[in-house]
């Protein structure tokens, strides 16, 4: 089974621009979660989508948004980029049902976003 | 508030030394516990997980962890580390209400050959 894939792997943007990141989950997984990883703040949960609906949300400003498509692929959008948005953005997928094992997260390689 | 605390920010060991990384959590209700590892330049990989049952769980590469409910702890151990264990280790917790994982700050492990 193919793992979680993320595109692009690297991205350079300037302040004020917007960016869209893409994540394809493992086949059969219906939940996709997004995380931001920075040296200062560590790994922080952004949001989770399950069956095209946002199920959980972290503590990030409204500039960060996402969506999920019917094939479970997900996109994350950041508008009006700030220097502090430079980070590794990780996507994780899981089966997403209500049991412990179905919530085990499988991570992709991440998208490294640099904001200049 | 839900939180995970890892006691050590950076640990330096010589090869063959024993390892124990501390993890404490503050999380209501039933919890699922995980340790992830991130090798330099690679993505997060699951080392081991605890859902229920035997509180001593074994993972890959000789790692194990013990869940102590009364102490809200899930410490990671390895009897003898190798240079290849150099990596960053993250403790994480979630519940059965979805995929939201709360991570600790991470512990950077450096193993000297």
């Amino acid at each position: 089974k193919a793992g979680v894939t993320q595109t692009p792997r690297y991205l350079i943007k300037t302040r004020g621009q917007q960016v869209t990141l893409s994540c394809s989950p493992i086949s059969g997984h219906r939940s996709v979660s997004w995380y931001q990883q920075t040296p200062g703040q560590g790994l922080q949960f952004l949001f989770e989508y399950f069956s095209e609906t946002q199920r959980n949300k972290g503590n990030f400003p409204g500039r960060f948004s996402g969506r999920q498509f019917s094939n479970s692929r997900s996109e994350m959008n950041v508008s009006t980029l700030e220097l502090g948005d430079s980070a590794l953005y990780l996507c994780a997928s899981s089966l997403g049902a209500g049991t412990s094992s179905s919530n085990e997260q499988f991570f992709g390689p991440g998208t490294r976003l640099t904001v200049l | 508030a839900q939180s995970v605390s890892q006691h050590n920010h950076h640990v330096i060991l010589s090869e063959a030394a024993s390892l124990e990384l501390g993890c404490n959590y503050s999380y209501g209700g039933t919890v699922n516990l995980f340790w992830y590892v991130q090798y330099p330049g690679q993505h997060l990989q699951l080392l081991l997980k605890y859902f229920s049952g035997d509180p001593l769980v074994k993972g890959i590469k000789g790692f194990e962890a013990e869940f102590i409910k009364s102490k809200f702890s899930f410490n990671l151990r390895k009897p003898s580390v190798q240079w290849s264990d150099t990596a960053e280790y993250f403790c994480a917790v979630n519940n059965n209400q979805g995929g939201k994982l709360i991570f600790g700050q991470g512990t950077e492990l450096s193993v000297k050959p």
Side-chain angles (χ1 to χ4, degrees):
Chain A
K1 236 182 199 179
V4 178
T5 58
Q6 293 186 244
T7 56
R9 293 292 311 278
Y10 302 91
L11 209 46
I12 299 175
K13 293 285 187 179
T14 56
R15 278 181 299 174
Q17 288 187 307
Q18 74 164 20
V19 67
T20 299
L21 313 181
S22 181
C23 172
S24 292
I26 291 171
S27 177
H29 284 191
R30 295 168 63 194
S31 166
V32 173
S33 297
W34 289 89
Y35 297 83
Q36 182 195 65
Q37 185 177 20
T38 59
Q41 299 298 317
L43 279 151
Q44 293 186 288
F45 173 78
L46 280 153
F47 30 65
E48 179 202 11
Y49 285 86
F50 177 76
S51 293
E52 302 178 65
T53 302
Q54 189 179 85
R55 180 158 72 173
N56 281 295
K57 189 176 188 307
N59 196 25
F60 278 81
R63 299 185 297 108
F64 291 82
S65 63
R67 60 177 175 168
Q68 187 180 34
F69 302 96
S70 58
N71 62 358
S72 295
R73 190 178 69 85
S74 177
E75 288 182 347
M76 187 190 108
N77 185 275
V78 188
S79 63
T80 320
L81 283 166
E82 300 177 359
L83 294 179
D85 297 333
S86 294
L88 181 66
Y89 289 89
L90 295 170
C91 165
S93 77
S94 66
L95 290 168
T99 61
S100 298
S101 58
S102 73
N103 284 315
E104 181 180 337
Q105 305 282 298
F106 296 83
F107 283 83
T111 294
R112 174 76 61 186
L113 172 64
T114 301
V115 181
L116 303 176
Chain B
Q2 303 158 350
S3 65
V4 177
S5 175
Q6 291 183 236
H7 307 158
N8 311 99
H9 183 61
H10 192 186
V11 173
I12 302 172
L13 296 172
S14 297
E15 273 193 318
S18 64
L19 170 72
E20 180 159 2
L21 301 182
C23 172
N24 285 90
Y25 65 92
S26 171
Y27 209 99
T30 302
V31 294
N32 305 312
L33 296 155
F34 307 87
W35 276 96
Y36 284 89
V37 61
Q38 192 171 36
Y39 297 103
Q42 295 188 29
H43 61 277
L44 277 171
Q45 299 174 39
L46 183 66
L47 265 183
L48 47 78
K49 60 198 176 192
Y50 173 80
F51 295 140
S52 63
D54 188 345
L56 185 61
V57 293
K58 295 190 184 300
I60 60 172
K61 304 186 181 187
F63 287 91
E64 64 179 32
E66 184 175 13
F67 170 52
I68 302 179
K69 190 174 182 180
S70 61
K71 295 185 178 180
F72 300 93
S73 71
F74 190 55
N75 292 354
L76 181 71
R77 299 195 291 248
K78 186 171 184 179
S80 175
V81 295
Q82 301 171 321
W83 175 79
S84 59
D85 292 325
T86 295
E88 189 154 19
Y89 293 80
F90 295 92
C91 180
V93 60
N94 74 1
N95 58 23
N96 291 337
Q97 295 172 12
K100 177 181 177 180
L101 271 173
I102 304 296
F103 282 91
Q105 283 295 95
T107 297
E108 187 180 344
L109 173 65
S110 300
V111 180
K112 298 184 292 184

